[in-house]
Amino acid sequence: MVKPTRVTNTIRSLRFSHGEMTQAELADRIGVTRQTVIAIEQGRYSPSLEMAFQIARVFQVRLDDVFQYPDE
Amino acid sequence: MAMEERRAWIMVVVTITTYPWYVVTILGRAATVPLAEVSYVGTLLWTVGGAIVGSIVLTIVVSIFFPKDADKKDQRDREIHRFGEAMGQSFVILGAVAAMLMAMAEFQYFWIANVIYLCFVLSSVLGSTAKVIAYRRGLPLW
């Protein structure tokens, strides 16, 4: 019944390449809790499309530079 | 840990503490009289009231210890809340159907009230446990 999400992301490396941004900082920028950022980074939570765009905008990259959906 | 996850833990702890206390108290009274004739109304109301007050007090205490997270709630919290409530809802419906059938079959009030209470308890435990699991492992993809 419970399946982990297949969506992967590069948030962790993007944070480090953007002045070692903390999870708390990113959370504040997109208006969520730090726990939600941690859950997204660890692939335990797939954000909404809107939140995904907000994350991409923070790092000033395209959406698929942040999130990937691998083939079968 | 998110504040909403702490709230889910509080519900689990309060429910699994108060209900066994109620059951033990009622069974203790059944030593001298048949179970269905035991005085239960006051105890049941006090247990439910105690659980509500207990969860409020614990939430306030936790908010004092973690003031930074106390009022934070985001999209993930809301999704997990809805998921937990949907899981727990099944037992509320089960309790209502069971109570209806028992009333039709003219069961004693004791049994009807206790089946409803048991289903509320199971609903709370299942819903809160589902929330905790969702916080720890992620929401299921159906």
Side-chain angles (χ1 to χ4, degrees), chain A residues 30-66:
Chain A
I30 59 172
V32 301
T33 61
R34 192 173 69 86
Q35 288 77 21
T36 294
V37 170
I38 294 169
I40 295 169
E41 272 193 20
Q42 294 177 347
R44 286 188 287 115
Y45 177 63
S46 294
S48 66
L49 195 54
E50 191 168 345
M51 197 192 294
F53 272 112
Q54 285 174 336
I55 294 169
R57 188 163 291 175
V58 167
F59 296 121
Q60 294 177 310
V61 293
R62 293 182 321 160
L63 192 59
D64 56 4
D65 290 329
V66 186

Side-chain angles (χ1 to χ4, degrees), chain B residues 79-142:
Chain B
E79 283 178 30
I80 291 176
H81 178 76
R82 275 200 296 271
F83 166 68
E85 294 301 304
M87 295 294 282
Q89 192 77 18
S90 54
F91 275 107
V92 174
I93 294 167
L94 191 67
V97 171
M100 184 181 72
L101 294 174
M102 289 169 83
M104 286 172 172
E106 297 183 359
F107 271 68
Q108 286 168 296
Y109 293 142
F110 173 90
W111 294 114
I112 297 173
N114 278 284
V115 161
I116 293 172
Y117 183 33
L118 174 64
C119 287
F120 279 147
V121 168
L122 293 175
S123 166
S124 174
V125 172
L126 179 67
S128 303
T129 305
K131 286 178 194 174
V132 170
I133 292 171
Y135 273 109
R136 297 282 153 148
R137 297 189 183 174
L139 283 162
L141 300 175
W142 301 99

